[in-house]
């Protein structure tokens, strides 16, 4: 384990937030960018906090590099969040939930951060299994599953991307078509805080089931996104 990964685990665990998931093959590249910001590549923690579309647009546009990033960032007295990115094989995952604001319920929000990390870890494990299926088993497999879910900003999108959008208009259309609805704030106390992550699990499970049913047991090379 790298020093960066060990420090990341120490910082998040000692605060009761659980452990940000990192696939084994990325773990050695984790480094600390600044206090409360860890990643396997250069990335701006404040842009992550703003839930900036640029990293998502990178994933929409092409293969890029696999990476993981996590940070706690924000501004003012109460607007703070834990934001997590994972681009890994067929999965491009961007998740965020509030924590650390002066007026936030520290117990409830810490539970939600741990739940976010737990669900992200499950999605990473599914994505790795899907990536490792034989290409022949997947047939005409979708390129990449894009997931962007912010409980703080109450926005969620999830769907398979078969080809890169040609321009920003096409990208916006993809986001509109793959929106995961949320009830208005306060309308449903039992709402799923992460509808995008829930939908991602469903779509990955369906892809895995199809791949396993079609598999011949004789890999013709590992399936990869893009």
């Amino acid at each position: 384990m790298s020093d960066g990964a060990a420090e990341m685990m120490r910082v998040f665990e000692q605060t009761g937030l659980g452990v940000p998931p990192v696939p084994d093959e990325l773990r050695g590249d984790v480094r600390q960018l600044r206090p409360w910001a860890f990643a396997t590549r250069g990335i701006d923690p404040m842009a992550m906090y703003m839930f900036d579309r640029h990293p998502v647009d990178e994933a929409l546009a092409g293969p890029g590099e696999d990476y993981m990033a996590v940070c706690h960032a924000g501004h003012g007295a109460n607007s703070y969040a834990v934001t997590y990115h994972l681009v890994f094989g067929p999965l491009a995952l961007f998740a965020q939930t509030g924590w650390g604001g002066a007026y936030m319920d520290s117990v409830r929000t810490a539970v939600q951060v741990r739940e976010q990390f737990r669900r992200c870890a499950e999605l990473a494990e599914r994505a790795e299994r899907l990536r490792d299926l034989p290409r022949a088993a997947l047939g005409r497999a979708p390129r990449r599953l894009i997931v962007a879910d912010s409980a703080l900003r109450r926005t969620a999108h999830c769907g398979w991307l078969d080809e890169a959008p040609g321009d920003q208009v096409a990208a916006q259309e993809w986001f509109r078509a793959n929106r995961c609805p949320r009830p208005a704030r306060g309308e449903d106390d039992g709402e799923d805080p992460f509808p995008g992550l829930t939908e991602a699990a469903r779509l990955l499970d369906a892809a895995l089931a199809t791949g396993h049913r079609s598999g011949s047991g004789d890999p013709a090379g590992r399936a990869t996104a893009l």
Side-chain angles (χ1 to χ4, degrees):
M1 182 186 300
S2 71
D3 291 344
E7 178 64 8
M8 177 188 73
M9 292 174 64
R10 185 191 68 79
V11 167
F12 280 87
E13 282 192 302
Q14 76 175 8
T15 321
L17 300 180
V19 178
V22 189
D24 288 344
E25 59 202 71
L26 298 179
R27 193 174 296 272
D29 296 326
V30 176
R31 64 187 189 273
Q32 185 166 12
L33 305 180
R34 72 177 202 191
W36 282 99
F38 300 85
T40 61
R41 56 166 264 188
I43 195 164
D44 180 3
M46 280 304 294
M48 290 178 65
Y49 158 74
M50 294 300 294
F51 222 59
D52 193 315
R53 272 278 303 276
H54 177 66
V56 186
D57 287 343
E58 280 185 354
L60 288 170
E65 62 177 314
D66 284 357
Y67 79 94
M68 170 270 174
V70 64
C71 73
H72 175 240
H75 65 85
N78 198 52
S79 189
Y80 287 84
V82 172
T83 309
Y84 174 82
H85 291 184
L86 179 65
V87 175
F88 184 60
L91 177 66
L93 170 61
F94 309 90
Q96 180 181 76
T97 191
W99 179 80
Y103 307 112
M104 292 180 181
D105 181 328
S106 61
V107 174
R108 183 186 65 80
T109 53
V111 168
Q112 194 150 305
V113 173
R114 292 195 297 272
E115 175 69 5
Q116 173 177 275
F117 286 158
R118 183 188 68 79
R119 293 208 200 181
C120 288
E122 291 177 349
L123 294 178
E125 188 273 334
R126 286 173 167 92
E128 186 168 16
R129 284 194 285 134
L130 184 62
R131 184 197 63 177
D132 290 344
L133 284 175
R135 289 190 182 92
L138 294 174
R140 186 183 177 278
R143 280 199 326 156
R144 173 168 279 171
L145 183 64
I146 307 290
V147 191
D149 189 320
S150 172
L152 180 72
R153 302 174 193 283
R154 300 187 65 78
T155 182
H157 305 268
C158 177
W160 286 110
L161 183 72
D162 292 317
E163 60 183 42
D167 52 36
Q168 283 297 313
V169 173
Q172 291 288 354
E173 180 56 36
W174 184 92
F175 275 95
R176 282 193 293 270
N178 291 279
R179 179 175 174 269
C180 301
R182 293 180 187 268
R185 190 182 297 275
E187 283 190 359
D188 183 2
D189 291 338
E191 71 171 270
D192 181 355
F194 303 110
L197 305 189
T198 299
E199 177 66 1
R202 186 188 72 80
L203 292 174
L204 285 169
D205 283 344
L208 283 165
T210 299
H212 284 303
R213 284 198 300 270
S214 304
S216 64
D218 181 21
R222 193 166 68 176
T224 56
L226 303 167

